[in-house]
């Protein structure tokens, strides 16, 4: 996927100026495709040169003139081609996860704070997505909107953003709690608590072979 396709998709609801496009990205499209405003302006210019979008100048009485852009037939054809092409699997690339990977060998304090900050950021995004979704569906309930709403595509992408941030928040809160508990145990001279302590994590470590366990022996008799 290229930025051009995200821009074309963002323009499907009607004409937008470059500024309005940047705002639309910030509250919606950015949950699956991030771009800086200057990248969006440059992409709009390229799309216009290629005939995939068209712009018109609008004179404003109390403000400078602006240009509004809309998708052309050629732009719709490009989106049709893009939608029919196979999609590549997505992947995570996150420096915070690299830090958590090294959690056993670095100071846990700063890492715990960063994880909690990420959880707070996710919570703020969750609130934003919920407000956007309510605005999109208006007076309709969610299931009714999903069946008959005017534009279901943006709603579905916002649902994906909401689910992502909810998962992000939950993982961060759990990770922070685990790291804090382990850090406190080590500071107190103990050893970190292990979930399911007393039950070996790997079969065969500290346990009798399955063939000699009483319940297995009884089953065999």
């Amino acid at each position: 996927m290229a930025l051009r396709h995200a821009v074309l998709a963002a323009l499907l609801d009607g004409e937008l100026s470059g500024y309005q496009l940047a705002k639309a990205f910030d509250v919606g499209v950015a949950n699956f495709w991030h771009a800086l405003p200057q990248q969006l302006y440059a992409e709009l210019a390229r799309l216009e040169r290629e005939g995939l979008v068209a712009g018109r100048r609008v004179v404003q009485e109390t403000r400078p003139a602006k240009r509004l852009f809309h998708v052309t037939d050629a732009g719709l054809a490009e989106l049709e081609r893009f939608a029919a092409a196979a999609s590549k699997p997505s992947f995570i690339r996150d420096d915070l996860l690299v830090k958590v990977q090294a959690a056993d060998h670095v100071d846990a304090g700063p890492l715990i704070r960063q994880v909690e900050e990420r959880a707070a950021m996710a919570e703020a995004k969750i609130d934003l997505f919920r407000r956007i979704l309510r605005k999109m569906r208006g007076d309709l309930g969610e299931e009714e909107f999903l069946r008959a709403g005017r534009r279901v595509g943006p709603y579905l992408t916002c649902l994906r953003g909401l689910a992502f941030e909810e998962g992000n928040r939950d993982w961060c809160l759990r990770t922070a709690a685990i790291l804090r508990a382990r850090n406190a145990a080590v500071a107190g001279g103990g050893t970190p608590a292990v979930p399911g302590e007393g039950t070996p994590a790997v079969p065969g470590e500290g346990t009798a072979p399955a063939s000699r366990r009483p319940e297995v022996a009884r089953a065999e008799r």
Side-chain angles (χ1 to χ4, degrees):
M1 173 175 166
L3 176 58
R4 62 176 44 211
H5 300 117
V7 171
L8 289 171
L11 289 172
L12 290 176
D13 281 325
E15 291 183 312
L16 295 176
S17 66
Y19 174 78
Q20 290 170 324
L21 177 65
K23 294 293 287 184
F25 258 70
D26 189 46
V27 300
V29 181
N31 82 81
F32 57 87
W33 195 268
H34 176 72
L36 298 173
Q38 54 266 36
Q39 293 175 305
L40 296 175
Y41 300 146
E43 191 61 45
L44 270 177
R46 280 191 290 268
L47 290 170
E48 187 174 25
R49 286 196 301 270
E50 295 176 24
L52 301 183
V53 304
R56 65 183 181 92
R57 186 171 181 270
V58 176
V59 177
Q60 303 182 100
E61 291 184 4
T62 59
R63 295 181 181 181
K66 65 179 180 180
R67 285 177 61 76
L68 295 178
F69 298 89
H70 66 272
V71 180
T72 64
D73 290 342
L76 289 173
E78 172 62 20
L79 275 177
E80 185 73 30
R81 183 201 64 76
F82 169 71
S87 295
K88 296 179 180 179
S90 60
F91 60 89
I92 298 175
R93 187 174 183 175
D94 190 336
D95 62 348
L96 182 60
L97 292 181
V98 177
K99 297 176 183 181
V100 173
Q101 177 81 4
D104 302 295
H105 303 278
V106 300
D107 183 1
L111 182 53
I112 291 169
R113 287 194 294 272
Q114 291 181 54
V115 172
E116 289 178 331
E117 288 170 0
R118 181 70 67 86
M121 292 171 61
E123 190 65 55
K125 287 187 176 181
I126 289 168
D127 180 64
L128 175 62
F129 278 126
R130 286 174 176 166
R131 286 188 279 113
I132 292 172
L133 290 167
R134 285 195 297 270
K135 182 177 180 181
M136 282 184 179
R137 64 179 181 260
D139 296 331
L140 299 178
E142 182 164 270
E143 292 306 316
E144 184 181 1
F145 179 86
L146 291 174
R147 286 194 304 271
R150 188 180 68 85
R151 280 273 279 132
V152 74
Y155 195 91
L156 292 173
T157 59
C158 277
L159 282 180
R160 179 66 185 95
L162 175 62
F164 174 81
E165 294 300 344
E166 287 176 335
N168 199 16
R169 175 202 58 194
D170 294 346
W171 177 86
C172 286
L173 292 176
R174 186 181 183 204
T175 297
I178 291 169
L179 293 178
R180 182 176 288 104
R182 291 174 64 92
N183 202 36
V186 171
T191 56
V194 179
E197 189 172 357
T199 302
V202 180
E205 292 190 31
T207 63
S211 60
R212 295 203 299 272
R213 293 176 190 166
E215 63 272 19
V216 175
R218 284 196 299 271
E220 291 175 346
R221 286 200 295 268

